[in-house]
Amino acid sequence: MSNADEELAKDLGPLAALTIGVGTMIGAGIFVLPGEAAAEAGPAVALSFIAGGVISMFTAMSASELGTAMPKAGGSYYYVNHALGPLFGSIAGMGNWMGLAFASAFYTIGFGDYLATFVPLPSFEIAALVVTQSQVGALLAGGTFVAVNYVGAKETGRLQNAIVLMLVAILTVFSILGFLQADLSTLQPFFPDETGGAAGILPGTALVFVSFLGFAKITTVAEEIKNPGRNLPLAVIGSVAIVTTMYAIIMVMLMGVVNWDLLGPANTDTPVLDVAEIAFGAFGFGAVGVAILTFAGLLATASSANASILASSRINFAMGRDKLMSPWLNDIHDRFATPYRSIAVTGGFILAFILIGDIKVLAKAGSVLHLIVYGLLNVALIVMRQADTPEYEPEFTVPLYPIVPILGAVTSFGLIAFMKPIEIGLAVGFVVFGFIWYVLYARTRTAKQGILSEYVLSRRDRMPDPAVSAAQTVKPDGGEYTVMVPLANPEHETDLITLASAIAKARGGTVEAVHIETVPDQTSLQYGAEHLEEIDAGSQELLDQAREDAETFGVEIETSTIVSHESFEEIFDAARDHRADLVVMGWGEDSHGSPGRAESTLDDVTQDPPCDFLVLRDRGFYPGHILLPTAGGPDSELSAEIAKLLWAEYDSDVTVLHVGDDQSEAETFVRSWAEGHDLADAELIGTTGDVETAIEDAARGCSMVILGATERGLLERLVSGSVVMDVVDDVACSVLLAEKARDRSLWERLFG
């Protein structure tokens, strides 16, 4: 049981979000890869970086649109899971998570290499495992970065800001001094025969693409970014543009100072430091320049490791929230508002990978996994656009749709062909593992289907048979039945929770009690959340009581408070967000604006209920004798289901009533309907006359009436009123209105 369903704190400003991307990308491309990249593509390596930036830009724009529509922790994993379903979500989540964890270990080992040049560190053996000085430094750095992330995103953002700003300043000075010593004639020939000419550009891009993984990390913390509609696209697209420009300029400068064939790994392990010695040495302080660039290497590897740890832990957290991982990972720290268990587990993996030592191949395999995820992300954008779901309302939209996401998918998948076979093989291994994990673990636990599968299955008659068969095959069959209870009035809390708990217990499900606290439009939601105790001191007490009531049934319950400018409308949004199967709520003072239905008048015209609804007019909850009027239809089917559950739980007496125009037909109908709904043993009444009067007469000996919401249309109900509304007001016992979730056309909504 948990009461930690709060949203992550929005602590990251635009600069912090931008530096997460820049800080991650700027490290490997400049301080680790220039020599190997020069050997691969020669002076044209600058074009390799530009090509990587262009490929990244396509995906960055797609990620920005998806991020502004769905600013959720998990980023690209969440978008793939939501759009393509939990099978692809498992593959994307596992690949992203493990890829980032390997990258984090790779960066911290790089940090350890630089640290060992400054500080004498010990080395030792554990059994047959030799722990080098670099690994000791990496373990110290990794433990520190994990601790910083554990404490909170605000501290992480501040640290990242300082690291990246200092790093950019050092590299700017280095570039200026380097160009003063550069001879651009050393770039000739631009496409040397030794590297295969211009054909070496894309293999070079495949090598350096690991340098472009940072922009997607921004989307993994989208839930923590202030004003994500504006700041997320600026950070994602801006980071790609900034880093691509820096890479191209610095690569040209490096090879203008030292000939490209002298920068390769055959001649030097530290090409950046060799160039720094020349660039700074021309002004009489070469040793100082080398020290400064060594310090910059420390900053670069630190920023890359720090940002990767931040992003990888959020993916783990998001998968736990979607039940693709253990829900144990889903807890938010009471003090720090971080997914502390997720961070701790991810940190444990990173420290273990550091001890393994040589993970360079695995880190590059991680870049293949990222390319797979980027390709799927672009496909996810196309699915969301084509499905045209009502909740998909991005504040930023991709220009030149669908050209951009198509190019993003094609170039991401296509670049994989230029990777080495061992790296592709390891990545395929992770994909297979993600598939097996979904089949053996996640499929029986998650209930989220995915927009693509829903789109295909809802159009069976218009879709190719293989597509329908595939969607049906991978469809999740798990997930607990969830009963959501919006709470407002303490006087009716016990009865609502009792009803919800009885239903959840019968279906092996859980209860989610939600208190929606409304604030005026003039009050920001952030202020309302921070001053909740001042606005409503009884909120927590109400939820605590709900928890106690549910526990008497042995039913698991989760509680949360939602601060909103809306009251009733927020119930619909919460039901969608919580993926509720049933909502049990009280009957409001104004009947919600539309007699006899769960939704308001406006909602009745614009949308269908997101799940089944039960609305209780509470006059004391005692289901000892239940009256079940029926005229057929889906709402009466839900009424029958609830009546049977209460009958089994409370050993109730049930009376089924049908009012028709002919006595014989009425008796035949009620008998046939009861048999079809496993209620043949109930008392059956078929009669004629006025429907309202018949219900009121039959209800006099009953303790509860369960009534299907009227099938009459909105316009007819507004003109002539509703029998349902009259019955609710006139009978003495409690009334439970049942409305079944279903798709209706606009004509059906208006005219029944």
Side-chain angles (χ1 to χ4, degrees), residues 419-457:
M419 297 288 184
K420 295 180 179 179
I422 187 174
E423 297 155 4
I424 297 175
L426 286 171
V428 171
F430 279 115
V431 171
V432 172
F433 178 78
F435 176 82
I436 295 173
W437 179 265
Y438 171 73
V439 172
L440 298 182
Y441 177 88
R443 188 181 184 191
T444 59
R445 289 168 172 81
T446 186
K448 187 169 184 176
Q449 185 170 333
I451 298 298
L452 177 60
S453 182
E454 292 177 358
Y455 184 83
V456 171
L457 293 178

Side-chain angles (χ1 to χ4, degrees), residues 597 599 603-605 607-609 739 742-746 748-749:
R597 300 199 68 86
E599 71 269 37
D603 289 321
D604 204 341
V605 175
Q607 62 182 310
D608 293 304
E739 179 159 6
R742 59 193 182 280
D743 293 330
R744 297 171 300 156
S745 66
L746 181 60
E748 290 172 326
R749 294 171 188 164

Side-chain angles (χ1 to χ4, degrees), residues 27-46:
I30 294 174
F31 291 95
V32 179
L33 296 176
E36 294 185 12
E40 190 74 45
V45 70

Side-chain angles (χ1 to χ4, degrees), residues 506-588:
R507 298 194 172 183
T510 61
V511 173
E512 294 197 8
V514 177
H515 180 225
I516 299 174
E517 183 61 53
T518 58
V519 296
D521 290 342
Q522 294 83 357
T523 301
S524 72
L525 296 182
Q526 182 176 356
Y527 178 88
E530 293 173 351
H531 298 80
L532 184 60
E533 291 186 2
E534 300 173 18
I535 296 173
D536 186 356
S539 175
Q540 190 59 48
E541 182 179 347
L542 181 65
L543 295 176
D544 290 342
Q545 184 60 49
R547 191 176 305 110
E548 293 179 11
D549 291 335
E551 287 173 347
T552 61
F553 281 80
V555 174
E556 290 193 8
I557 181 172
E558 296 184 0
T559 62
S560 61
T561 299
I562 299 175
V563 180
S564 175
H565 290 137
E566 307 290 346
S567 54
F568 179 77
E569 293 83 353
E570 183 61 39
I571 295 174
F572 281 76
D573 293 336
R576 293 187 184 94
D577 291 342
H578 290 249
R579 296 194 289 275
D581 298 286
L582 175 70
V583 170
V584 176
M585 59 183 292
W587 184 269

Side-chain angles (χ1 to χ4, degrees), residues 604-629:
D604 204 341
V605 175
T606 59
Q607 62 182 310
D608 293 304
C611 63
D612 295 344
F613 267 71
L614 296 180
V615 185
L616 178 64
R617 182 65 172 92
D618 191 10
R619 297 186 178 95
F621 180 75
Y622 175 63
H625 190 172
I626 297 171
L627 175 64
L628 181 60

